[in-house]
Amino acid sequence: MAKTEPSRCNLTALRKATRRVSQLYDQVLATSGLRGTQRAILVYVRRSGAPTMGELAAALVLDRTALNHNLKPLERDGLLTITVDKSDRRSRLVRLTKRGEARLEESQAAWLKAQERFETAFGARQAADLRQTLELIASLEFDERALTSPAS
């Protein structure tokens, strides 16, 4: 593949990289019947127990419409359930089902293979540094207040 001049647009660079990495994970995970984004949702739900839709959306940095779009096939396939929170009827709780837990376990070897392929191509240390940088970026607020404050 020919090298191109890097774009000054952060959004374009991030999206291109995200699409390339997503293609790798989706290809390797295909045997499990999960896409990388779906597996990430299931992993977060498992770690959290029964997050609310709001908690899940915030943790995954998704708006509720996008979250609902991603949850529908997982719910349809019986991998998770969405129920009304008995302590706050306005909230919905997302829970992993036994089938969802089993699918996560089945996908573990494929996920490890994707991780290994990425780290072999990119470098294990660079991958760890990249994850740290991306976590920082995901935590940033880009409102007007943040834009006028000097970076520390």
Side-chain angles (χ1 to χ4, degrees), residues 53-64:
M53 295 279 280
E55 292 167 342
L56 188 54
L60 298 172
V61 192
L62 289 171
D63 63 52
R64 286 184 184 244

Side-chain angles (χ1 to χ4, degrees), residues 20-31:
R20 178 67 72 208
V21 174
S22 292
Q23 289 169 352
L24 163 65
Y25 279 76
D26 287 348
Q27 176 189 32
V28 176
L29 285 167
T31 58

Side-chain angles (χ1 to χ4, degrees), residues 27 29 50 57 70 80 83 98 125-126:
Q27 176 189 32
L29 285 167
N70 283 285
L80 54 76
T83 58
K98 288 182 181 185
R125 182 72 216 145
Q126 293 90 332

Side-chain angles (χ1 to χ4, degrees), residues 20-43 74 79 102-117:
R20 178 67 72 208
V21 174
S22 292
Q23 289 169 352
L24 163 65
Y25 279 76
D26 287 348
Q27 176 189 32
V28 176
L29 285 167
T31 58
S32 73
L34 292 174
R35 296 180 59 88
T37 52
Q38 294 173 320
R39 188 175 191 286
I41 290 169
L42 295 177
V43 166
L74 297 171
L79 304 180
R103 183 73 62 87
L104 265 180
E105 292 304 315
E106 292 165 8
S107 70
Q108 183 66 13
W111 178 82
L112 287 170
K113 181 179 178 182
Q115 287 282 102
E116 181 181 311
R117 284 176 62 183

Side-chain angles (χ1 to χ4, degrees), residues 130-148:
L130 176 64
R131 287 189 301 273
Q132 186 176 6
T133 299
L134 293 173
E135 284 294 326
L136 173 62
I137 292 169
S139 73
L140 294 175
E141 296 294 330
F142 295 104
D143 61 10
E144 284 295 318
R145 202 171 18 94
L147 295 175
T148 58

Side-chain angles (χ1 to χ4, degrees), residues 73-113:
L74 297 171
E75 185 180 31
R76 178 198 65 220
D77 294 346
L79 304 180
L80 54 76
T81 60
I82 302 169
T83 58
V84 173
D85 184 348
K86 291 177 181 153
S87 64
D88 180 357
R89 300 204 49 82
R90 296 170 297 170
S91 293
R92 302 286 179 266
L93 298 174
V94 182
R95 288 188 175 90
L96 198 60
T97 63
K98 288 182 181 185
R99 184 182 216 170
E101 185 68 46
R103 183 73 62 87
L104 265 180
E105 292 304 315
E106 292 165 8
S107 70
Q108 183 66 13
W111 178 82
L112 287 170
K113 181 179 178 182

Side-chain angles (χ1 to χ4, degrees), residues 115-124:
Q115 287 282 102
E116 181 181 311
R117 284 176 62 183
F118 179 82
E119 290 186 3
T120 297
F122 190 64

